[in-house]
Structure formats: structure tokens, C-alpha cells
Amino acid sequence: MRPVKLTTKVFGYTPAKNDFLFEKRLQNYIFDILMQYSRGKSALVFCSTRKGAQEAAHRLSQTVMAFGRSNPFIKNREQQERLREASLSCSDKQMQSYIPYGVGYHNGGLSMKDRNLIESLFLKGDIQILCTTNTLAHGINLPAHTVVIKSTQHFNKEKGLYMEYDRSTIQQ
């Protein structure tokens, strides 16, 4: 049972020379998709790896940095001030630089303190964009208006190759 109707959009992009390069190239499309579909509301960006989530957050924060005061992820000065203060309490230096732009990432490599901080900021709506791995979909309830699944593939360490996610993982 879904309290809100789910709408699904699937976008296809030109392949690259290999899966790794294709995954990197997908970073170029995230901002435009968010601008078109999230309409100023919260969004989760699922990435297949921890590094991918960090890179997506980095790319998004760099993109909105160019907007200056018209950052689309910041609604008002109060939010901006709360984010600035919150960034000072984050021990992850990389994340510390993204938080003031309304962007964060979440993965198993973060300390519990930083994970709790990021989850709290996202739930309050201060961080509008959260880039994460699919482990977030298991057991943590962070409702979002828009969900972007950056790639339908993940790297399987045992097999040493990229494999498609199954449909139930995508829906979750």
C-alpha cells in the first residue's frame, strides 16, 4: 500500500567505452533531473558505491556553488545559517564543505554521529539533496519527494563485474 502515488520515469543515456566511465558520465545528468522533477523539495540520489555517492554530492555542491545566493537547494537565510552551524559539528571534512549548499551524502563509511546529523538535517528539510548508497533503503525511513537512481547497475565484487539491480531493489 502506498499513501502517495508513485510515478516512474526512466532515462537512457549513450553508453561509454566501459561501465566505469558510463557511471562517471551519469554524474553530468543528476542536477538537471533534480531541477526538473524535485521542484524545490527533498530528493534522494541513490548511487551504486560509497565513492559514487560522495562524488555525486561533490558535483552537486560544485554546481550550486556557481549559483551564489540563488542556490536552488537553499530556501532562506535561516536555513543557510542552520546548515552553516551544522557543518561545523560534522567531523567528515569532505561533507563539511557540502552541507552549507544543502547537499549531503550518506553511506556506511560515515561515523554514527555524522550519519545521525545528516539524517536529521534531511528530515528537517535543511539538507534538500542526499546522495546515498542503496543500504539507506534498508531500515532507515527518510521520505523524499523525488528519488533518483543514478544507475540500474551495481558492481558485484565476487563476480568482478557490473550487474543489474533486480526490480524489487529498485522499487524499495
Side-chain angles (χ1 to χ4, degrees):
M1 201 295 265
R2 283 202 160 309
V4 178
K5 184 178 181 257
L6 182 66
T7 304
T8 305
K9 306 253 187 237
V10 178
F11 301 99
Y13 297 102
T14 307
K17 290 181 183 177
N18 61 51
D19 291 333
F20 175 77
L21 290 175
F22 181 69
E23 183 77 15
K24 294 284 257 187
R25 187 186 306 153
L26 291 176
Q27 303 282 27
N28 300 330
Y29 304 107
I30 297 171
F31 180 77
D32 290 336
I33 289 170
L34 291 171
M35 291 300 91
Q36 185 172 355
Y37 294 100
S38 73
R39 296 192 233 32
K41 296 181 180 164
S42 63
L44 291 170
V45 178
F46 284 97
C47 304
S48 58
T49 64
R50 289 178 183 183
K51 186 175 181 183
Q54 291 170 321
E55 288 173 354
H58 176 74
R59 183 70 175 266
L60 288 168
S61 63
Q62 278 188 322
T63 301
V64 297
M65 193 183 300
F67 283 76
R69 293 202 180 274
S70 60
N71 176 342
F73 305 148
I74 304 292
K75 295 178 181 108
N76 54 50
R77 284 192 180 164
E78 292 79 19
Q79 175 194 11
Q80 192 164 31
E81 185 56 30
R82 287 190 304 271
L83 288 170
R84 191 191 63 73
E85 286 178 26
S87 72
L88 300 175
S89 67
C90 184
S91 59
D92 184 292
K93 296 299 178 202
Q94 191 176 11
M95 176 88 75
Q96 205 175 56
S97 66
Y98 306 155
I99 291 173
Y101 298 102
V103 176
Y105 63 86
H106 187 287
N107 63 43
L110 290 175
S111 70
M112 188 55 75
K113 178 182 165 249
D114 286 350
R115 268 190 267 177
N116 290 336
L117 172 68
I118 294 307
E119 290 168 19
S120 171
L121 290 169
F122 186 77
L123 283 169
K124 287 185 220 168
D126 285 339
I127 283 185
Q128 193 172 331
I129 309 299
L130 186 60
C131 303
T132 184
T133 58
N134 69 351
T135 54
L136 182 76
H138 305 287
I140 299 175
N141 186 20
L142 292 178
H145 176 271
T146 303
V147 173
V148 175
I149 300 171
K150 192 176 93 176
S151 176
T152 58
Q153 297 183 333
H154 67 284
F155 189 75
N156 182 312
K157 288 179 188 172
E158 288 102 41
K159 296 184 179 178
L161 51 93
Y162 280 88
M163 297 180 64
E164 295 287 328
Y165 284 117
D166 59 51
R167 188 172 173 83
S168 63
T169 301
I170 299 271
Q171 287 295 322
Q172 179 62 28

